[in-house]
Amino acid sequence: MVAEAFDRKAAPVAIPEQSPEKYYGELVFNRQRMFEYLPKEVYDELLKAIENKTPISRRIADSVADGMRRWAVENGVHHYTHWFHPLTDGTAEKHDSFIEHDGKGGIIEEFSGKLLVQQEPDASSFPNGGIRNTFEARGYSAWDISSPAFILGSTLCIPTIFISYTGESLDYKTPLLRAINAVDKAGTKVARFFDSEVKHVRTFLGWEQEYFLVDESLYSARPDLVMTGRTLLGHESPKNQQFEDHYFGAIPSRVEAFMLDLEISCQRLGIPVKTRHNEVAPNQFECAPIYEEVNLANDHNLLLMSVMTEVARRHNFRVLFHEKPFAGINGSGKHNNWSLGTDRGAMLFSPGKTPEDNLQFITFVVNVMAAVHRFNGLLKASIMSATNAHRLGANEAPPAIISIFTGSQLAAVLDMLENSSDADLSSLAGKAGYSLGLSQIPEILIDNTDRNRTSPFAFTGNRFEFRAVGSSANCASAMIALNAAVADQLDRFHSEVNNRVANGMPLREAILSELRKLVAQSKAIHFDGNGYSDEWKEEAARRGLDCETSAPLIFDAYLAPEAVEMFDRTGVFSKVELQARNEVKWEMYTKKIQLEARVLGDLALNHIVPVARRYQSMLVDNVVKLRELYGHGADDLTSDELRTIENIARRVSAITRTVNEMVNERKKANAISDQRSRAIAYHDTIAPALNVIRRHADKLELLIDNEMWPLPKYRELLFIR
Ligand code: ADP
Ligand code: MG
């Protein structure tokens, strides 16, 4: 089996003859298609609605639906689906065909505006945290006109939000759109301090998706990978990433063929994928697009994950998005490069050429720092999950503490700002602003090379990079919390500055003095040192940053009074929604650990232990025979073997004992009805047992005859040839 897997040749890729310009976006109902398939007047109305975020009339919807259908049918499509992001990993679709009765006993193909705009999928089985008890189990999906429809396989997909009968969000898109609006509103008010013509502030996201590839046949022989997405046991390979020869190394031809196929498939769907490279761990890779507005970027990330799963299968690979599929080597993240910009073209985290631009830059940067400081526990909760918990805090990923890396030059500017006196500030209010050093900021970015890989949230020259996001996560979770927190902070900043101005302070001075206050207040969040070190954990605790490491307790941050109030003020989540979502988070956490416990229990008792015992009997048999042959003369010859026999026996009994204890703990935990307490029990008593079982099983892997070992080993799983 192994040899066959390694001998596979790269699957042929149908490389289009045209350049990407020709096929880019050909599967998207984009502006060009809208123009082609919609009456001029409908096209204008639709664009206006997209631009101003206003609803469209039923008449326009009918016409758009008809145009979309004609385009889709011309492309061989006969089904459509509302495509949404429920509170699970991934996306949901329920397909319907375009057929309707024609009233004469036959059928016609039809797609009405009503069906385009809103539907009621009977999706009562999606997680909802108790919002929809069965008698009001209706959930509605409604078209998000800001994200274009696209063709996936033979289905027209219409991006939608998913809400309950009573209006609560049951998905990721609804609160994301609300957070985008909140940051637009508050950001615009602040941006107008610098440019009175600003009408909108936009949010951008450029994600970097890390993933592993595993040969399909080896994957199929690992029930843990198939069921949980990660290896629950497996001893480290002697060679792993210690030579750092994989990172940015030559891409194996089989993988390159996969990547090319993936890129073409993505570009046809209008996903602007641009960068690809090997990552640090063997078999680990990364893919990144050109950044886009966050709502579209997030749809594209989710779409990429589905497409990648399909394309991998075409190449006899399985793609792993799990944050920690293999112990002992790097896990996978999804860096969220995030920035804000105005409709006038200013990028708000990019320093400009004039002191005025730089004051705007410093204003937005300092407000982000203040927001991340105020809500550091919440931001950690936004990226936490049962799977990402393996990565955070481990020694190759950001720690389970949120801090901001600024780089030395920006740090110097912040220092200067903080240490200037009131007198300095009032003299800076005029032209003297130059002396603050703000005018020197442009130089900073030319040489912004001191990147810090250990920071969970880093300033990287023209954007912030939220690196702690997990590779399997929906980016929306992080983007909702971050944008809402920043919106709230910007709003507060706007009122504070206005208060000062109302009391007679000049605007520039009011801005500077408020910034100075914020820099001093949020100092604790700024850390440019080594985030992996133990000293940092102690220091962070002293600074009052959230240092909780237990996932179920980290989720509490969503229900802390400051968070509930902030989400209420920004209109992103109601308290009911927050409570319901936390129920889902705790439940998901429990289910994931429960599944791992079941799978590992089975692997341990039915795969590992029987083989260990069989091998042990062979050794015992050998010892007995040697004794028969040599009598006491065999003592010398059998002493090593006897030690191995004892070692195996001890480990086998430790495994069986721990599995039994774990089963008992599970029974106890399952009897707890409160989701939060049950998740805590799974975290405290069941998750640790997984590690104990693994430790013994991995030792057995080293002791037992290679021919008998029932699972593919790391050294086979990790090196694609
Ligand atoms: P690196 O690995 O060096 O961080 P990559 O090229 O892999 O960089 O990815 C950087 C990502 O950041 C890309 O998706 C890129 O489009 C995105 N990006 C660049 N500038 C911005 C910006 N101003 N706002 C948001 N994302 C950005
Ligand atoms: Mg990056």
Side-chain angles (χ1 to χ4, degrees):
M1 173 196 67
V2 173
E4 183 203 330
F6 281 161
D7 282 347
R8 281 220 175 93
K9 298 278 181 299
V13 185
I15 301 172
E17 279 168 19
Q18 318 108 323
S19 66
E21 284 159 54
K22 296 275 169 29
Y23 58 81
Y24 183 79
E26 70 181 3
L27 298 176
V28 184
F29 196 66
N30 56 18
R31 287 184 187 204
Q32 192 189 329
R33 308 272 127 60
M34 287 176 190
F35 187 79
E36 210 175 312
Y37 285 85
L38 303 180
K40 176 78 173 72
E41 156 237 11
V42 173
Y43 171 80
D44 289 341
E45 283 289 318
L46 183 59
L47 285 200
K48 214 160 52 186
I50 292 172
E51 195 63 29
N52 302 330
K53 301 180 183 168
T54 49
I56 50 169
S57 72
R58 178 63 199 277
R59 191 180 54 83
I60 298 289
D62 278 335
S63 180
V64 174
D66 189 59
M68 252 186 212
R69 183 190 56 79
R70 279 186 294 114
W71 167 70
V73 169
E74 277 175 31
N75 282 279
V77 166
H78 294 277
H79 286 71
Y80 66 93
T81 181
H82 276 196
W83 182 82
F84 56 96
H85 318 166
L87 299 175
T88 53
D89 301 333
T91 55
E93 312 165 8
K94 176 185 166 227
H95 298 191
D96 283 299
S97 73
F98 291 125
I99 60 167
E100 298 289 344
H101 286 298
D102 65 358
K104 297 174 226 152
I107 52 150
I108 49 163
E109 282 202 318
E110 198 178 82
F111 186 38
S112 69
K114 189 166 142 256
L115 292 174
L116 165 67
V117 171
Q118 185 180 312
Q119 282 195 30
E120 191 199 323
D122 177 28
S124 46
S125 302
F126 286 114
N128 63 76
I131 280 179
R132 303 160 67 200
N133 38 41
T134 25
F135 58 87
E136 53 174 46
R138 273 176 291 179
Y140 290 96
S141 55
W143 183 29
D144 165 21
I145 60 172
S146 61
S147 183
F150 55 89
I151 295 172
L152 194 58
S154 60
T155 307
L156 172 67
C157 297
I158 297 148
T160 56
I161 58 166
F162 184 47
I163 53 174
S164 77
Y165 179 61
T166 40
E168 284 88 9
S169 61
L170 297 170
D171 67 345
Y172 284 108
K173 199 188 245 291
T174 310
L176 179 63
L177 292 172
R178 292 178 188 154
I180 293 169
N181 281 341
V183 97
D184 178 5
K185 243 167 79 189
T188 301
K189 287 196 287 189
V190 173
R192 279 190 189 148
F193 284 148
F194 308 96
D195 174 357
S196 59
E197 304 281 298
V198 171
K199 288 197 187 61
H200 286 293
V201 164
R202 304 204 163 106
T203 314
F204 300 102
L205 167 65
W207 40 263
E208 298 162 53
Q209 178 72 56
E210 292 178 344
Y211 60 95
F212 279 84
L213 288 177
V214 177
D215 186 275
E216 186 175 45
S217 52
L218 297 174
Y219 170 92
S220 310
R222 293 282 315 214
D224 47 356
L225 275 183
V226 174
M227 307 261 181
T228 73
R230 77 169 176 117
T231 54
L232 297 171
L233 34 80
H235 195 278
E236 264 188 58
S237 162
K239 177 179 191 301
N240 47 47
Q241 64 191 41
Q242 72 268 50
F243 298 109
E244 293 171 356
D245 51 352
H246 188 69
Y247 189 51
F248 283 15
I251 300 173
S253 60
R254 227 185 117 191
V255 175
E256 199 172 322
F258 153 80
M259 285 177 169
L260 183 61
D261 199 354
L262 173 70
E263 283 156 354
I264 293 166
S265 307
C266 284
Q267 286 167 356
R268 294 181 70 208
L269 281 161
I271 308 173
V273 288
K274 183 176 166 72
T275 307
R276 64 180 184 196
H277 59 74
N278 286 3
E279 259 304 325
V280 173
N283 278 15
Q284 192 187 26
F285 307 94
E286 181 186 298
C287 158
I290 302 170
Y291 68 93
E292 301 175 284
E293 281 200 49
V294 59
N295 180 38
L296 185 60
N298 192 42
D299 280 357
H300 280 166
N301 179 248
L302 290 162
L303 195 49
L304 169 108
M305 290 169 80
S306 328
V307 171
M308 204 189 260
T309 305
E310 281 309 304
V311 174
R313 286 179 186 206
R314 279 211 285 277
H315 294 259
N316 302 311
F317 286 129
R318 288 304 166 107
V319 57
L320 307 178
F321 290 119
H322 194 290
E323 282 78 359
K324 193 74 180 171
F326 302 100
I329 54 172
N330 276 19
S332 299
K334 176 146 59 191
H335 298 177
N336 277 208
N337 293 273
W338 167 82
S339 66
L340 299 176
T342 69
D343 58 336
R344 302 255 296 158
M347 290 304 274
L348 295 167
F349 304 140
S350 300
K353 294 195 172 56
T354 64
E356 207 51 54
D357 286 347
N358 284 333
L359 184 58
Q360 171 171 284
F361 158 73
I362 287 290
T363 296
F364 278 88
V365 166
V366 168
N367 273 287
V368 170
M369 295 184 77
V372 174
H373 178 240
R374 278 170 66 203
F375 296 104
N376 70 90
L378 175 69
L379 288 171
K380 181 164 68 181
S382 78
I383 48 109
M384 184 44 82
S385 65
T387 51
N388 205 19
H390 291 284
R391 182 172 156 260
L392 299 175
N395 219 27
E396 84 290 334
I401 301 166
I402 300 294
S403 64
I404 298 185
F405 168 86
T406 63
S408 53
Q409 287 153 309
L410 180 54
V413 175
L414 297 174
D415 264 0
M416 233 185 294
L417 192 57
E418 192 198 346
N419 296 320
S420 54
S421 66
D422 274 345
D424 293 339
L425 288 181
S426 56
S427 69
L428 288 173
K431 281 211 159 139
Y434 289 89
S435 66
L436 185 66
L438 296 178
S439 62
Q440 288 146 24
I441 296 167
E443 289 164 40
I444 289 181
L445 301 150
I446 295 164
D447 186 30
N448 188 46
T449 49
D450 48 352
R451 297 251 194 135
N452 181 331
R453 292 181 64 94
T454 70
S455 179
F457 199 97
F459 178 69
T460 51
N462 62 351
R463 61 189 190 265
F464 286 92
E465 198 172 322
F466 197 177
R467 298 200 179 120
V469 182
S471 48
S472 73
N474 186 319
C475 303
S477 180
M479 289 292 108
I480 292 162
L482 177 61
N483 285 299
V486 168
D488 193 56
Q489 174 56 39
L490 286 170
D491 203 60
R492 190 186 262 199
F493 179 80
H494 178 256
S495 333
E496 293 289 331
V497 169
N498 273 354
N499 287 344
R500 285 169 204 246
V501 171
N503 288 329
M505 203 185 258
L507 178 63
R508 197 171 173 28
E509 195 183 329
I511 292 173
L512 280 167
S513 64
E514 182 60 21
L515 289 179
R516 185 162 148 255
K517 187 184 92 192
L518 290 178
V519 171
Q521 272 174 3
S522 47
K523 247 181 124 139
I525 201 70
H526 180 198
F527 177 65
D528 281 6
N530 179 6
Y532 297 169
S533 67
D534 286 333
E535 296 84 67
W536 168 234
K537 284 181 202 149
E538 288 161 26
E539 166 70 15
R542 268 200 300 280
R543 291 187 187 188
L545 297 177
D546 189 315
C547 297
E548 182 56 61
T549 56
S550 158
L553 296 178
I554 285 172
F555 298 149
D556 286 347
Y558 273 103
L559 295 172
E562 352 28 300
V564 174
E565 285 157 23
M566 180 279 283
F567 281 124
D568 183 55
R569 277 194 299 273
T570 50
V572 172
F573 286 125
S574 67
K575 188 164 185 192
V576 175
E577 286 175 314
L578 288 170
Q579 280 164 335
R581 277 163 188 264
N582 261 29
E583 293 291 304
V584 174
K585 284 183 204 298
W586 286 313
E587 189 183 346
M588 286 300 232
Y589 180 87
T590 298
K591 282 184 175 164
K592 290 211 166 149
I593 307 290
Q594 187 178 52
L595 176 63
E596 290 188 347
R598 285 182 184 155
V599 172
L600 185 58
D602 167 54
L603 279 178
L605 297 189
N606 303 322
H607 292 63
I608 307 298
V609 165
V611 168
R613 289 201 174 121
R614 216 179 325 137
Y615 182 60
Q616 189 188 23
S617 315
M618 281 167 59
L619 295 182
V620 171
D621 196 43
N622 194 42
V623 169
V624 171
K625 283 180 178 150
L626 283 170
R627 282 202 178 143
E628 272 172 20
L629 261 179
Y630 299 112
H632 274 305
D635 288 358
D636 226 24
L637 299 173
T638 54
S639 60
D640 282 343
E641 228 162 325
L642 285 169
R643 264 198 300 279
T644 306
I645 290 166
E646 190 185 328
N647 197 352
I648 293 174
R650 284 190 197 286
R651 295 197 183 277
V652 163
S653 98
I655 288 176
T656 46
R657 197 176 54 241
T658 314
V659 171
N660 289 335
E661 282 164 10
M662 184 173 76
V663 171
N664 280 334
E665 289 300 334
R666 233 156 60 208
K667 282 187 190 141
K668 273 196 260 169
N670 292 346
I672 303 172
S673 59
D674 172 54
Q675 292 287 8
R676 178 175 179 274
S677 310
R678 196 191 304 166
I680 292 170
Y682 266 87
H683 173 272
D684 292 352
T685 59
I686 291 139
L690 295 172
N691 296 334
V692 175
I693 297 166
R694 173 178 199 143
R695 202 175 60 238
H696 291 296
D698 289 357
K699 287 285 185 226
L700 286 175
E701 186 184 316
L702 294 184
L703 294 173
I704 287 165
D705 183 355
N706 186 55
E707 267 182 32
M708 298 172 74
W709 194 253
L711 300 166
K713 296 184 174 178
Y714 271 27
R715 62 163 189 264
E716 293 157 331
L717 290 166
L718 279 173
F719 298 91
I720 288 169
R721 279 199 254 149

